[in-house]
């Protein structure tokens, strides 16, 4: 089998510039005792860059990780969300920003948001690198969006296809030619 080609959709410079803009938007919001919660695994590269941009924008924050699974092998969502690893932090009366790679059906973020709201957070916002329009199965929306993403399966910058490609420094589309 030949290696698939990966076409660049959003390059490193474009992503970095967009993250700086999002960080300054977040810095303007009235956030108290801010806790950033990257939803793993796909968001880890985006979150790492976003955290440092938030620091540059003058924010003080804490970070904890929520690991959820909704995708199995391949590219089709199973529809069911499971907690693989929960956060350890208290969220009562805090402002929480959930960070995810892609908002597609919205099931992952809706699940995470309900979980944190139920624990008494003061406010729960959501920040996603990519949003695929027209795919929503829930009424969850993102407060901060990096880019609108075409309805293609994308990889890189933390996102995988069957565990591969997370290490790519850009967001790309897998092109299989046969
Ligand atoms: P949702 O629960 O349907 O909104 O799906 C969101 C999750 O599905 C994301 O956090 C990703 O982990 C995964 N996902 C959706 N589309 C893609 C894609 O194009 N590439 C890689 N992962 C994806
Ligand atoms: Mg994910």
């Amino acid at each position: 089998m030949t290696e698939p080609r990966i076409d660049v959709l959003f390059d490193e410079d474009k992503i970095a510039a967009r993250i700086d803009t999002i960080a300054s938007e977040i810095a303007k919001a009235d956030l108290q005792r801010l806790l950033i919660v990257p939803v793993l695994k796909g968001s880890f590269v985006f979150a790492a860059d976003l955290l440092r941009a938030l620091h540059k924008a003058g924010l003080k924050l804490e970070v904890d990780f929520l690991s959820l699974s909704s995708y199995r092998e391949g590219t089709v969502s199973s529809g069911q969300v499971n907690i693989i690893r929960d956060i350890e932090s208290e969220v009562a009366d805090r402002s929480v920003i959930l960070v995810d790679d892609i908002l597609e059906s919205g099931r992952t973020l809706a699940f995470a948001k309900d979980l944190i709201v139920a624990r008494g957070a003061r406010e729960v916002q959501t920040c996603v690198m990519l949003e695929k329009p027209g795919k929503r199965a829930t009424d969850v929306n993102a407060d901060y969006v990096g880019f609108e993403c075409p309805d293609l399966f994308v990889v890189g910058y933390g996102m995988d296809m069957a565990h591969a490609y997370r290490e790519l420094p850009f967001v790309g589309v897998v092109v299989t030619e046969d």
Side-chain angles (χ1 to χ4, degrees):
M1 221 174 77
T2 52
E3 284 286 304
R5 196 180 80 225
I6 314 283
D7 285 354
V8 177
L9 192 58
F10 302 110
D11 67 24
E12 289 180 74
D13 290 348
K14 204 167 171 185
I15 295 170
R18 185 69 192 122
I19 287 178
D20 281 343
T21 306
I22 292 175
S24 36
E25 277 175 39
I26 293 175
K28 284 187 209 128
D30 175 31
L31 301 164
Q32 308 286 317
R33 298 174 58 225
L34 178 58
L35 178 69
I36 302 287
V37 177
V39 180
L40 299 177
K41 302 174 193 169
S43 69
F44 77 109
V45 177
F46 175 52
D49 284 344
L50 179 67
L51 291 170
R52 286 173 288 184
L54 290 171
H55 168 75
K56 275 199 287 172
L59 283 182
K60 293 231 183 317
L61 53 87
E62 291 179 15
V63 188
D64 201 347
F65 302 95
L66 180 63
S67 185
L68 298 179
S69 75
S70 58
Y71 264 61
R72 295 172 194 278
E73 303 273 310
T75 63
V76 182
S77 172
S78 65
Q80 204 206 318
V81 181
N82 301 307
I83 301 180
I84 307 295
R85 181 212 183 265
D86 206 340
I87 56 168
E88 293 164 357
S89 310
E90 286 290 329
V91 297
D93 293 325
R94 304 183 72 168
S95 296
V96 177
I97 300 182
L98 296 165
V99 178
D100 208 353
D101 50 1
I102 300 197
L103 177 58
E104 193 175 17
S105 75
R107 285 191 198 97
T108 310
L109 265 193
F111 178 93
K113 194 168 180 176
D114 288 350
L115 188 75
I116 304 300
V117 167
R119 291 175 183 172
R122 173 182 182 266
E123 178 183 12
V124 183
Q125 295 192 336
T126 54
C127 175
V128 297
M129 180 172 57
L130 303 174
E131 179 172 31
K132 285 186 184 172
K135 305 279 276 188
R136 213 74 79 248
T138 62
D139 62 5
V140 76
N141 273 311
D143 297 285
Y144 311 97
V145 177
F147 304 100
E148 293 268 295
C149 180
D151 188 14
L152 299 166
F153 197 80
V154 294
V155 296
Y157 201 68
M159 296 176 292
D160 73 310
M161 187 173 74
H163 309 294
Y165 305 120
R166 291 193 198 274
E167 71 278 21
L168 300 179
F170 54 85
V171 175
V173 181
V174 184
V175 184
T176 32
E177 285 159 341
D178 41 19

